[in-house]
Amino acid sequence: MLPRQVVKWILVFLVISPSLFPVSVSEVDSSYWSAKKRHMKKKVHDMFYHAYENYLTHAFPHDELKPLSKSFTDSLSELGNLKLEHLPQHYNGSALTLIESMSSLVIMGNNTEFERAVLWLSENLNFDVDARINLFECNIRVLGGLVSAHILATDSANRLVQGSYKNQLLTLAEDLGRRFLPAFDTPTGLPYAWINLKYGVMENETNETSTSGCGSLILEMGALSRLTGDPIYESAALRALRRLWSMRSSLNLLGTTLDVTTGEWIEYSSGIGAGVDSFYEYLFKAHILFGKEDFWRMFHSAYLAVQKYFRHGPWYHEADMRNGKATYWQLTSLQAFWPGLQVLVGDIAAANSSHREFVHVWKKFGVLPERYLLDHLMLHPTEKYYPLRPELAESTFYLYQATKDPWYLEVGESIVNSLNSYTKVDGGFASIRDVTTMQLEDHQHSFFLAETCKYLYLLFDDSFLVDRNYVFTTEGHPLPVLSSWHDRLPEAYIPSNWTFLPSEKQARRASAMTLQVCPAMSLDCGHGCQQVKSACHIPDARSDHRCFGDEECGVDATTCRRRTCSMAGYCGLWLFI
Ligand code: DMJ
């Protein structure tokens, strides 16, 4: 027992302490986290430039940097097993890392460097080369990078490339898009996985492709069609996607690989990782970007099937599409994007629980190994590598946006620290060959600049997203959500509930991922006045999206769907299983 006098003085102290310390605990907290964010943003900024400048010095205009030998690789072509010696003498790569870095440069506020990149690409990029490339990779990295950069370059809010920009990036994107088209010339409309940029599909080309290979083209090719006014790209991607969807089993599951000429499955087992991941991602993101009800319906059924047949607590295993029976019990690094997608859907509790498991594995090894065998609790013997992948940082960014829980900032900090201590070398950032020894590999993948650094930066500084509404492609390139790109508003559109963003101040707080803003919709309010109105958005009652009942949830801005309160107490686009 404390003596009475001591207790009295403790009570007196508690009563007068607020006047002694006029700053409240929450203010202390928020200034602590603001300082932490500033510090971490600077660290990520430095990481990006260390990677970028080394690329420019030792690899540009080739595709990617080899940071240990300070040399380069033309990986876009090598992905097609075409070694450099088989390329024409003058082949200098396609400046892949430069293209991939452009949207990150804008997000980090470096418009000058962005403009330099635009200029260089406009004058030098040439796709008329005898190079066999992977359609999926070239689409998400090169076409996506160019289309997104074109949009950023022409966005009046950015004041970029003043005057001198004559849509050169769009012209390049269209040239590339045209070179993709022969790949779709198959009896099924499903595209070949490989194509020669100059000569089209090569003789004896393999018929085998993956589900993501033919089901994750719609964002970039759709955007290209919207920008050029030529529907051919979107139609080709859409036809392939619909054909793929028609190949699902009665359980609404798909396999991982298939034959593009016969439309038969080759590998019946699939999960949410390699070969399939971005297929799910694009069904939902295509619904956000183009507003088509069809995409939502496909995604909805596919998502339910994933949760039903692949999910095991916070983990996801693989299953046979024909009977739903579990096949492989593996955690793969690529699966770590899934919680980020779940945040967009509103399934935050499920996202949080899976994300925690990935963080646990990251902490156990210091980074995420490519493949971990859940049934043997050991690493896959030949897939112990970590090639600087972004997926965990990506999910961490989405979860922080949705919850504002500073725990996610700490996760981001530990990712940054691991990257700096294990992968930073004098010549850039190197991949890890073996997470048990931390032995390095001589490769800095372009997605390290397009995604890993970008998502980490946005985690600590999301000012780029304020007042804007973007969807990020699977390679992290932002595309704007515009009502003019929506074929029509989704069925759940509620005309009587149009709402204005009430005040300048409130609008400023809005960001795409907190779902506070809507597809940009300009409305005539009479006498030549134009106002940006929310098409159907009703904000959640609380800014942190917590709720006790459905009545506290609003209508989602990007999809115009009613949000409901989850059992975990968050408003979201809940799917009922
Ligand atoms: C990226 O190229 C994309 O995120 C793609 O969808 C899959 N993985 C790599 C990075 O890990």
Side-chain angles (χ1 to χ4, degrees):
M1 289 279 283
L2 290 171
R4 255 165 194 268
Q5 280 298 56
V6 177
V7 173
K8 186 180 140 201
W9 281 111
I10 290 176
L11 288 174
V12 169
F13 177 78
L14 287 177
V15 172
I16 64 165
S17 58
S19 51
L20 289 177
F21 305 103
V23 179
S24 71
V25 174
S26 63
E27 277 174 295
V28 171
D29 261 16
S30 78
S31 67
Y32 171 80
W33 289 113
S34 303
K36 165 80 78 193
K37 279 170 145 184
R38 276 197 302 278
H39 173 68
M40 292 310 301
K41 165 188 159 173
K42 166 87 175 60
K43 268 189 137 174
V44 180
H45 173 276
D46 293 350
M47 281 167 67
F48 175 84
Y49 281 101
H50 182 68
Y52 182 71
E53 278 158 13
N54 270 294
Y55 163 72
L56 288 186
T57 310
H58 305 296
F60 174 77
H62 293 273
D63 286 340
E64 292 181 318
L65 170 68
K66 288 178 134 194
L68 301 179
S69 56
K70 297 187 178 169
S71 57
F72 61 83
T73 160
D74 280 313
S75 41
L76 207 60
S77 304
E78 284 173 7
L79 285 170
N81 300 326
L82 197 72
K83 294 282 172 260
L84 267 182
E85 57 269 26
H86 300 134
L87 287 169
Q89 286 292 301
H90 64 271
Y91 188 71
N92 269 335
S94 56
L96 176 64
T97 301
L98 184 72
I99 298 172
E100 287 257 76
S101 301
M102 303 234 296
S103 53
S104 301
L105 286 168
V106 174
I107 286 173
M108 294 186 191
N110 193 345
N111 292 356
T112 314
E113 185 61 19
F114 175 80
E115 293 190 24
R116 252 164 45 94
V118 171
L119 213 64
W120 189 90
L121 292 169
S122 305
E123 284 166 12
N124 297 286
L125 199 56
N126 171 22
F127 294 123
D128 195 31
V129 285
D130 178 10
R132 177 178 176 258
I133 53 95
N134 181 284
L135 181 72
F136 166 80
E137 295 292 349
C138 200
N139 174 63
I140 65 170
R141 300 190 197 208
V142 185
L143 186 61
L146 290 174
V147 161
S148 173
H150 164 74
I151 292 169
L152 293 170
T154 49
D155 178 353
S156 56
N158 287 329
R159 295 176 196 284
L160 292 171
V161 206
Q162 292 166 359
S164 61
Y165 185 64
K166 303 275 180 292
N167 297 335
Q168 296 94 323
L169 297 183
L170 184 59
T171 307
L172 283 164
E174 192 167 15
D175 176 38
L176 184 60
R178 290 226 162 263
R179 290 169 194 277
F180 285 178
L181 295 177
F184 293 82
D185 191 10
T186 60
T188 59
L190 295 162
Y192 281 99
W194 307 98
I195 185 154
N196 184 297
L197 284 177
K198 198 178 179 81
Y199 301 113
V201 179
M202 296 173 88
E203 229 173 280
N204 302 323
E205 187 51 89
T206 174
N207 296 340
E208 187 170 351
T209 191
S210 65
T211 296
S212 348
C214 47
S216 327
L217 303 157
I218 188 70
L219 291 192
E220 293 81 1
M221 294 186 73
L224 181 60
S225 278
R226 304 302 166 118
L227 291 166
T228 57
D230 186 342
I232 194 163
Y233 314 105
E234 185 171 348
S235 307
L238 195 56
R239 180 165 172 241
L241 184 58
R242 286 198 203 288
R243 178 62 196 244
L244 186 65
W245 182 242
S246 76
M247 291 163 62
R248 70 193 182 280
S249 70
S250 56
L251 307 177
N252 285 330
L253 294 175
L254 290 92
T256 303
T257 55
L258 54 121
D259 185 315
V260 298
T261 53
T262 62
E264 301 285 330
W265 288 106
I266 296 171
E267 174 57 69
Y268 290 97
S269 173
S270 79
I272 56 166
V276 194
D277 45 3
S278 47
F279 159 74
Y280 293 107
E281 183 182 356
Y282 273 31
L283 285 181
F284 188 62
K285 289 185 174 174
H287 173 57
I288 295 178
L289 198 63
F290 303 122
K292 274 194 192 358
E293 194 63 15
D294 245 20
F295 291 130
W296 167 259
R297 272 196 278 268
M298 289 189 249
F299 174 76
H300 188 220
S301 320
Y303 185 80
L304 295 183
V306 165
Q307 297 300 87
K308 184 167 174 185
Y309 295 106
F310 299 162
R311 185 175 176 192
H312 183 82
W315 306 104
Y316 290 83
H317 57 74
E318 289 191 18
D320 188 311
M321 64 176 279
R322 295 164 295 188
N323 51 30
K325 292 216 171 94
T327 48
Y328 303 106
W329 291 77
Q330 300 174 345
L331 172 137
T332 64
S333 180
L334 288 169
Q335 294 172 342
F337 89 102
W338 189 253
L341 182 63
Q342 290 184 309
V343 168
L344 284 181
V345 180
D347 204 346
I348 292 170
N352 178 42
S353 71
S354 292
H355 176 266
R356 272 175 197 270
E357 299 302 325
F358 286 109
V359 172
H360 180 74
V361 178
W362 178 287
K363 291 208 164 134
K364 182 177 158 102
F365 292 101
V367 292
L368 265 190
E370 187 70 0
R371 203 176 287 272
Y372 184 77
L373 307 176
L374 290 168
D375 44 356
H376 296 93
L377 294 179
M378 61 180 271
L379 291 169
H380 188 285
T382 58
E383 293 183 46
K384 298 180 180 176
Y385 51 88
Y386 170 68
L388 307 172
R389 287 199 192 283
E391 286 76 9
L392 186 63
E394 177 183 354
S395 287
T396 306
F397 153 72
Y398 281 108
L399 272 157
Y400 179 66
Q401 283 286 327
T403 64
K404 297 294 174 209
D405 181 342
W407 183 77
Y408 295 107
L409 298 177
E410 288 176 352
V411 172
E413 181 175 16
S414 93
I415 296 175
V416 168
N417 290 342
S418 294
L419 289 170
N420 277 316
S421 41
Y422 300 124
T423 70
K424 187 175 179 188
V425 293
D426 189 43
F429 283 84
S431 299
I432 295 174
R433 183 179 301 234
D434 182 337
V435 301
T436 60
T437 59
M438 291 298 176
Q439 186 199 0
L440 295 177
E441 190 175 330
D442 201 6
H443 199 159
Q444 178 184 285
H445 291 269
S446 59
F447 53 69
F448 181 67
L449 292 106
E451 291 190 86
T452 315
C453 290
K454 180 184 284 142
Y455 287 124
L456 288 169
Y457 187 89
L458 285 170
L459 172 66
F460 300 114
D461 179 357
D462 65 359
S463 47
F464 173 77
L465 296 171
V466 173
D467 289 344
R468 301 172 205 211
N469 205 1
Y470 285 110
V471 61
F472 287 95
T473 68
T474 192
E475 193 69 3
H477 298 303
L479 297 174
V481 181
L482 303 167
S483 58
S484 53
W485 282 18
H486 279 212
D487 284 358
R488 63 184 172 83
L489 286 162
E491 277 162 17
Y493 165 60
I494 310 162
S496 58
N497 278 333
W498 284 9
T499 54
F500 287 93
L501 286 177
S503 69
E504 182 68 0
K505 201 168 160 224
Q506 196 154 342
R508 293 231 149 274
R509 285 208 327 267
S511 100
M513 296 310 140
T514 55
L515 305 176
Q516 298 281 310
V517 287
C518 296
M521 170 169 276
S522 200
L523 294 169
D524 190 357
C525 49
H527 310 296
C529 132
Q530 283 284 318
Q531 270 177 325
V532 174
K533 251 185 178 180
S534 157
C536 56
H537 176 50
I538 302 173
D540 297 332
R542 294 162 207 236
S543 58
D544 62 359
H545 314 293
R546 300 302 298 247
C547 52
F548 290 105
D550 290 349
E551 63 288 350
E552 288 177 296
C553 300
V555 175
D556 180 44
T558 47
T559 60
C560 294
R561 292 185 174 279
R562 287 180 191 283
R563 292 155 68 78
T564 53
C565 190
S566 71
M567 280 169 66
Y570 280 99
C571 293
L573 290 182
W574 278 88
L575 300 163
F576 297 99
I577 302 179

